[in-house]
Amino acid sequence: RERKLPPQVVENLKKAWHLDDPLWVQYGRYLGGLVRGDLGPSLSHPGVSVNEIIADHFPFSLTLGLVALAFALVFGVSLGMFAAARQNRWPDHLISGFGHLAVSTPSFVIGPLLILVVSLQLGWLPPAAIDGPTSYILPGITLGLVLMAAIIRLTRAGFLDVLSQDYIRTAHAKGLSERSVLLRHALRPGILPVLVFLGPATADVISGAVVVENIFDIPGLGAYFVNSVADRDYTVLTGISVFYVVILMALNLVVDLTQAALDPRAREVVA
């Protein structure tokens, strides 16, 4: 139970944070700060602004998210293509089973297992904390496994649809190798479902790494986002939310433009 503050202290706090102003004045002041790029001060960290918190800790979350995304894309697209090329054979079943296992295993199980085996038993990689680029490998794998499983399914479905088209059968009839057909004729249309998925998925990976950051002791932005709820630090909570919304909108725009460049049918929709 929280201790009740004296009325004079409450009054002084309201004056210090301008909470005694009308709501429309407070809202207008906050919107004016957003236009200038000012997200306001932190209520639980005196003398520290939300901009400083984001500038100091977002690079760690961004690096972790990019490592996880690169891992998920490289292995997810490769395994999805291979599964589609071997449809209904044992490699297809094996890869699909692995995808179901990866998407159903939570990160707080995968992370400690990787630390136990790869770091403590084999000694290949550091177990926690940021001490060079290799420190991001284990948390990147932990965070990227679920995303990789989704990319495997999307890639497999996209390539199965493309491989059933007439021009693919014509390419096979001309004697082209399977690798040439996949990379030269099926890759661009087959990868489109993954590109559509990447916008929100990238924002989710960058912003949703709270558990992984705690497991591997990474000083990212996720811990501040969660702690701001318990600390009632509304400026930090709102500022980080606005920051992630802007990232999501920018990523969706990039995905739409990329999709239009790869798929002529989508250009009229984007235009």
Side-chain angles (χ1 to χ4, degrees), residues 121-245:
Q121 293 186 358
L122 299 177
W124 290 349
L125 295 170
I130 298 302
D131 186 21
T134 57
S135 302
Y136 286 99
I137 296 179
L138 287 186
I141 294 174
T142 303
L143 184 61
L145 270 176
V146 174
L147 181 59
M148 183 191 71
I151 291 177
I152 287 175
R153 294 200 305 268
L154 289 172
T155 304
R156 180 182 181 276
F159 271 82
L160 286 178
D161 180 63
V162 172
L163 292 177
S164 63
Q165 301 298 319
D166 291 337
Y167 73 93
I168 296 295
R169 287 192 287 268
T170 302
H172 281 295
K174 290 182 177 180
L176 296 179
S177 65
E178 184 177 37
R179 179 178 179 180
S180 178
V181 170
L182 287 175
L183 296 181
R184 293 178 56 186
H185 299 281
L187 182 59
R188 278 180 52 173
I191 205 76
L192 288 178
V194 177
L195 291 178
V196 175
F197 171 73
L198 275 186
T202 304
D204 184 61
V205 165
I206 294 175
S207 62
V210 179
V211 175
V212 176
E213 288 178 359
N214 288 331
I215 292 174
F216 292 92
D217 194 23
I218 297 176
L221 201 56
Y224 276 87
F225 186 76
V226 173
N227 292 336
S228 64
V229 179
D231 296 338
R232 297 188 179 183
D233 196 339
Y234 303 116
T235 53
V236 171
L237 180 63
T238 306
I240 294 178
S241 299
V242 170
F243 179 69
Y244 280 138
V245 166

Side-chain angles (χ1 to χ4, degrees), residues 21-217:
D21 293 337
L23 286 178
W24 67 270
V25 175
Q26 298 180 44
Y27 187 61
R29 184 184 300 115
Y30 185 76
L31 289 182
L34 285 182
V35 173
R36 298 189 305 270
D38 182 10
L39 298 175
S42 171
L43 301 180
S44 59
H45 300 82
V48 180
S49 68
V50 180
N51 295 61
E52 291 174 336
I53 292 176
I54 293 176
D56 291 340
H57 298 276
F58 179 67
F60 295 101
S61 298
L62 177 62
T63 304
L64 174 59
L66 292 178
V67 171
L69 183 65
F71 167 79
L73 274 176
V74 170
F75 289 96
V77 172
S78 300
L79 291 176
M81 289 175 57
F82 189 72
R86 300 292 187 273
Q87 183 185 11
N88 295 329
R89 305 180 200 174
W90 70 265
D92 183 20
H93 298 309
L94 181 63
I95 293 173
S96 298
F98 172 73
H100 289 302
L101 179 63
V103 78
S104 61
T105 306
S107 57
F108 59 81
V109 174
I110 298 173
L113 283 177
L114 289 177
I115 292 175
L116 177 63
V117 176
V118 179
S119 296
L120 300 183
Q121 293 186 358
L122 299 177
W124 290 349
L125 295 170
I130 298 302
D131 186 21
T134 57
S135 302
Y136 286 99
I137 296 179
L138 287 186
I141 294 174
T142 303
L143 184 61
L145 270 176
V146 174
L147 181 59
M148 183 191 71
I151 291 177
I152 287 175
R153 294 200 305 268
L154 289 172
T155 304
R156 180 182 181 276
F159 271 82
L160 286 178
D161 180 63
V162 172
L163 292 177
S164 63
Q165 301 298 319
D166 291 337
Y167 73 93
I168 296 295
R169 287 192 287 268
T170 302
H172 281 295
K174 290 182 177 180
L176 296 179
S177 65
E178 184 177 37
R179 179 178 179 180
S180 178
V181 170
L182 287 175
L183 296 181
R184 293 178 56 186
H185 299 281
L187 182 59
R188 278 180 52 173
I191 205 76
L192 288 178
V194 177
L195 291 178
V196 175
F197 171 73
L198 275 186
T202 304
D204 184 61
V205 165
I206 294 175
S207 62
V210 179
V211 175
V212 176
E213 288 178 359
N214 288 331
I215 292 174
F216 292 92
D217 194 23

